[in-house]
Amino acid sequence: MKDLRTPPGRAGRMRLRHSLDVARRGADLLDQKLRILRVRHEALLAAEESARDAWHERLREAETWQRRGLLLAGEQGLEAPAPPHPAEIDVVRTSTMGVRHPETATCALPPREPDTPAPANTALVHAEAAYAEAVRAAADHAVAHAAAREIGAEVLRTRQRVRALQRHWIPRLEHALSRADAALEQSEHEDAVRRRWAARALGDRT
């Protein structure tokens, strides 16, 4: 373990004690943050899984209606023109322990143009509505996935900082403080011996 450079004497020991107190408080605060982030991360992972299941369910439902519609209308049932505008997604962000991440998403799908032909049959009408729901569910899953990823990354960073303090920095400070205490005690002992010698020498001369 490499020794820390500190001023000699009481000033150096006071500086080490202060640094050690700051490091311990920092480790405690980071440990509290880590516990909160872990709970939040677990909740976000559960939300991500639920959102993924909902998205896949909506997609399966849409594909089922599409197959039914195509059985009735044939491949020409999909020849309707594409929407003139893409879907728009508005993402609301929030903060957890200082970490910004997505919270919710609002997905706006372009309305059907007045001159756009209607789906060829009821099954394709249901398929169109189901695909719209699948797009919204996909947006919800994307938000949940991004939130879990960002909080998860902060969990890793915070854990690394806690370990660095607890396993490296704090032990180095404790070691340096122990050496400073020993050196100061030795110095004070030597000073006391010199004072006794000086007093004894003065007594002998008198």
Side-chain angles (χ1 to χ4, degrees):
M1 182 181 295
K2 186 178 179 181
D3 292 336
L4 295 173
R5 288 187 176 182
T6 56
R10 295 183 180 278
R13 186 174 65 172
M14 289 180 62
R15 179 178 296 182
L16 284 171
R17 285 190 179 278
H18 176 71
S19 297
L20 182 57
D21 288 342
V22 170
R24 285 171 173 168
R25 286 197 299 270
D28 288 342
L29 290 174
L30 284 174
D31 193 52
Q32 293 175 18
K33 176 182 178 180
L34 181 59
R35 288 196 295 269
I36 294 172
L37 286 175
R38 281 173 171 167
V39 172
R40 180 63 171 152
H41 188 225
E42 290 176 1
L44 289 172
L45 288 175
E48 178 187 5
E49 182 178 2
S50 177
R52 181 176 61 250
D53 292 344
W55 170 34
H56 290 171
E57 178 62 26
R58 298 289 83 73
L59 188 58
R60 285 192 295 269
E61 181 181 351
E63 290 172 344
T64 298
W65 281 114
Q66 183 184 51
R67 286 193 297 270
R68 292 175 182 174
L70 292 180
L71 286 174
L72 296 173
E75 292 295 330
Q76 63 272 17
L78 296 181
E79 293 178 357
H85 305 291
E88 296 182 358
I89 298 178
D90 182 27
V91 177
V92 176
R93 300 181 70 84
T94 187
S95 178
T96 300
M97 299 300 293
V99 183
R100 295 281 296 170
H101 60 85
E103 183 179 33
T104 59
T106 302
C107 183
L109 300 175
R112 174 180 292 276
E113 295 294 316
D115 57 347
T116 300
N121 53 61
T122 303
L124 290 178
V125 171
H126 288 304
E128 183 179 84
Y131 273 116
E133 291 302 315
V135 170
R136 295 187 180 94
D140 291 339
H141 174 259
V143 164
H145 174 72
R149 181 186 60 203
E150 292 177 23
I151 293 297
E154 185 64 19
V155 166
L156 292 178
R157 288 191 293 267
T158 304
R159 184 186 297 128
Q160 290 171 352
R161 293 173 65 189
V162 170
R163 288 178 176 175
L165 284 171
Q166 293 179 340
R167 299 184 180 182
H168 302 288
W169 185 238
I170 289 177
R172 287 184 67 190
L173 288 170
E174 290 173 339
H175 178 71
L177 182 59
S178 177
R179 288 175 59 88
D181 286 340
L184 185 59
E185 182 179 351
Q186 178 66 24
S187 176
E188 290 175 346
H189 174 71
E190 292 173 354
D191 287 343
V193 171
R194 283 193 293 268
R195 286 195 297 270
R196 287 197 297 270
W197 285 350
R200 183 178 304 170
L202 183 60
D204 291 343
R205 287 198 296 270
T206 59

